[in-house]
Each structure stands twice: as C-alpha cells, then as structure tokens.
Amino acid sequence: DRFIKYFSNSDWCEYSSMGGIRIADSAAEADRLKASIKIYKHFNVEAAWLSENSFRNIAGVRWSQGAIYIPKEGIFNPHYLVAGLVNANRILGNDVISGVNFAHLESLPNGKVLVSDIDGNVIQANSVVICLSAFSHHTPIKFLRENVNSMRVQYIATKKLNKDLVSEIPPYAFTMNSGEEYFRVHNDRIIFGGGNELQEVPPKEYG
C-alpha cells in the first residue's frame, strides 16, 4: 500500500476529467464493477455505484445495468510515473539499475535467478519481475515471445462540434464493455478509443 500511494502522485496528472464512469451493460459486468469498488476504496480512491435510474438521469440511456462513478480521474505523465516507481523502490531499499540491454534470464537450482546483459555483465537475484508493454514480444525471453500477444489502442476523434451540442454531452470519461470502448469530450471533439482495462482478450482479435 505504501508503494502504491507513493508513486500515485496527483501532481503528475497531465489531464484531469470531471470524473470517470464505468458502464455495466450486463448483470455480470455490474457484479464485477460493484466488487471493484472495494479495491478502489482500499487505495483511498473515491468510487460510488450508480443505479440504473441514477445513471439514466446522467446519460439519458435506458439499456445500462448501472455504473461506477469515480470523481477523480486523469492521465499520468509516464515519465513522472516511471521516475516515481524508481524512487519508491529506492526508498524501500532496492537497487535500481537503468540503461541495461537485457540478453538472458536463467533460473538456478537454488532458486536464484541470473540476469545477463549483451556486454556479459551478470546479476544474481532472488526474484525477477517482468513488466510487459506493447513491445514485449520482441524480448529475448522465449517464453514471452511465444505467449505475449501485443495490442495497441486505436483512437479516433470527431471534427470540432458545435458548442451547443457539446454542452449537452455529460462531461465524463465513459468506459464500457470491460474497457473495450471508451469515449469522452475533449476540446469540442468526442474522442473514441478503448482497451484501457481489458480483461481477457482473444489473440485472434487483438494479437
């Protein structure tokens, strides 16, 4: 918890919306979202469940099974976020080595792990945490090359809309279908995208 709270610094927020709304379009999705409220609150993130009627009053739609409303939502500057992770690790007493061109990973019989770079330098560790990104399938690690299906999020935006029309659209960041669909108003345009909290994604669709 201390680690999470340290690097989740609100001063690093580049974009802040009026709030985020996770829409449930099925009973199963409603149950999943309701359960996630406990996780948000565990990390002191305010979140509240909106009933079908409450959400209908906000968005004017009749098909939803309710939604989660998160009053504070935004986008972190990735540089600050990574720097925060590094600093938090150092505060916890961990060594941080950067600028290394990874080459090989090997598990030893004693449970230790050997990590080597392209220059032949070797580090012995008790454990290794592998952080994945859209480019993880290029890694030298055979297991990751064979099992990581990278995906990227496509965003499209409308042309600038009439301000009277924009004023009729609720000023929230909306997410639905387990994160596959996302939309919000930004600078008099509607931005559409998705993929920010996908659960299990079939490789044949997103690989």
Side-chain angles (χ1 to χ4, degrees):
D1 292 2
R2 174 187 170 196
F3 184 72
I4 294 290
K5 291 170 185 175
Y6 178 84
F7 75 78
S8 297
N9 188 327
S10 60
D11 293 338
W12 304 339
C13 188
E14 283 195 314
Y15 164 80
S16 179
S17 71
M18 293 287 290
I21 292 182
R22 311 279 191 266
I23 307 170
D25 57 351
S26 67
E29 180 67 0
D31 290 340
R32 186 184 77 83
L33 290 176
K34 287 177 181 177
S36 71
I37 291 178
K38 292 182 180 180
I39 300 174
Y40 285 117
K41 291 187 175 180
H42 177 75
F43 293 108
N44 295 322
V45 176
E46 187 179 351
W49 177 252
L50 301 176
S51 67
E52 294 178 48
N53 288 335
S54 297
F55 180 66
R56 186 180 304 158
N57 292 334
I58 292 174
V61 298
R62 298 180 177 275
W63 46 261
S64 84
Q65 301 286 316
I68 282 183
Y69 172 56
I70 304 168
K72 295 181 179 179
E73 184 168 279
I75 299 173
F76 280 122
N77 179 308
H79 170 76
Y80 291 148
L81 185 59
V82 171
L85 284 167
V86 170
N87 291 335
N89 265 292
R90 285 176 173 155
I91 286 174
L92 294 175
N94 300 316
D95 293 327
V96 178
I97 303 172
S98 59
V100 176
N101 292 310
F102 170 82
H104 183 66
L105 189 69
E106 180 183 353
S107 296
L108 301 178
N110 62 3
K112 303 287 186 180
V113 181
L114 287 184
V115 182
S116 58
D117 66 10
I118 60 175
D119 297 319
N121 299 307
V122 178
I123 296 173
Q124 180 172 289
N126 293 322
S127 60
V128 173
V129 176
I130 300 173
C131 302
L132 304 179
S133 73
F135 305 100
S136 296
H137 62 289
H138 295 298
T139 178
I141 302 177
K142 184 174 182 290
F143 173 80
L144 293 182
R145 286 201 310 271
E146 295 176 349
N147 292 278
V148 173
N149 294 289
S150 298
M151 58 164 289
R152 61 181 182 179
V153 178
Q154 300 288 352
Y155 280 91
I156 60 174
T158 66
K159 64 180 182 180
K160 285 205 170 186
L161 304 175
N162 180 284
K163 290 187 180 296
D164 291 335
L165 176 61
V166 171
S167 67
E168 296 294 321
I169 303 172
Y172 307 106
F174 291 93
T175 306
M176 59 183 294
N177 292 341
S178 298
E180 290 187 44
E181 299 175 33
Y182 172 90
F183 55 97
R184 62 180 168 87
V185 174
H186 181 64
N187 291 340
D188 296 335
R189 303 174 190 266
I190 299 179
I191 296 176
F192 297 91
N196 61 332
E197 55 174 48
L198 291 175
Q199 303 301 305
E200 297 180 4
V201 184
K204 65 181 180 180
E205 292 185 22
Y206 295 95

